[in-house]
Amino acid sequence: MSEKLLVGIDCSNCSNRALQYASGRAENTQIPLLVVHVIDWSPFSFNTPQENEERHKRREAELQRAHTEIIDPLVSALREKGIAAEGVIRHGHPAETLNAVAQELDATNIIIGKTGSSRIKSQLFGSVANTLVQISKVPVTVVP
C-alpha cells in the first residue's frame, strides 16, 4: 500500500501548524496529501419535514461555501508547491469523520493540531485529538 497523509483542518492556529507539518512531509517525500475539513453536524434533530428540507439546503450550502473559502485555496496553494493534494469536506463528528475518511481513502497517517477552534467544547466533551487517537486504525500525529 502506498502512503497517503490526511491532515484535518479547522482554520485554527493549531490546524494551520498541522497543515505546515503535513505539507513539509508531503513535499519532501512526494506523498499525496488529503486536506480534510469537517463541519460539525449532528444527525439528531427533531424537526418537521419542512424544517428538515431547509436544514438539508443549509447543509449543502455549507459544503459549497467550505470548498470555496477553505479547501480550494489551500489545495491550490499546495499544488503550486508541487504537492499532490486533494480536498475533502464532510459533515459529522470531527474525530469519527476524520477516521472514516482515512479508512475510505486509504490514508496511512492522520495529522491534526493539538487544539482546534473550539477550546471550551473540547474541555467539556473531550478533544478531537484525544478521541481520534483512541479510535483510529492508522497512526495519528498530533502537532502542538
Side-chain angles (χ1 to χ4, degrees):
M1 174 168 60
S2 61
E3 287 191 69
K4 189 183 298 184
L5 303 176
L6 182 153
V7 59
I9 59 159
D10 66 2
C11 302
S12 68
N13 288 335
C14 279
S15 79
N16 291 340
R17 286 193 297 275
L19 180 61
Q20 287 176 338
Y21 173 82
S23 64
R25 279 196 58 203
E27 189 173 28
N28 292 333
T29 59
Q30 299 301 305
I31 297 172
L33 186 60
L34 299 168
V35 181
V36 182
H37 178 73
V38 179
I39 301 169
D40 205 356
W41 186 270
S42 172
F44 305 106
S45 182
F46 302 101
N47 297 324
T48 66
Q50 183 179 12
E51 289 170 326
N52 282 335
E53 185 178 324
E54 288 298 317
R55 188 172 191 239
H56 178 72
K57 288 178 186 174
R58 280 193 322 271
R59 182 177 185 246
E60 294 304 313
E62 283 180 343
L63 288 170
Q64 184 57 47
R65 184 173 172 212
H67 261 291
T68 303
E69 294 181 15
I70 300 169
I71 290 293
D72 293 346
L74 291 175
V75 169
S76 292
L78 291 166
R79 288 178 179 167
E80 286 176 13
K81 292 169 65 175
I83 298 170
E86 177 185 342
V88 178
I89 305 267
R90 297 282 170 83
H91 275 104
H93 179 275
E96 292 170 2
T97 305
L98 289 171
N99 185 50
V101 170
Q103 289 179 30
E104 174 189 332
L105 300 178
D106 299 319
T108 54
N109 185 214
I110 300 171
I111 301 168
I112 57 171
K114 181 178 175 185
T115 306
S117 61
S118 179
R119 296 181 104 178
I120 293 172
K121 182 179 171 185
S122 70
Q123 289 174 350
L124 294 173
F125 302 110
S127 74
V128 171
N130 217 14
T131 303
L132 191 55
V133 166
Q134 298 298 317
I135 66 171
S136 178
K137 304 287 187 212
V138 299
V140 177
T141 302
V142 181
V143 178

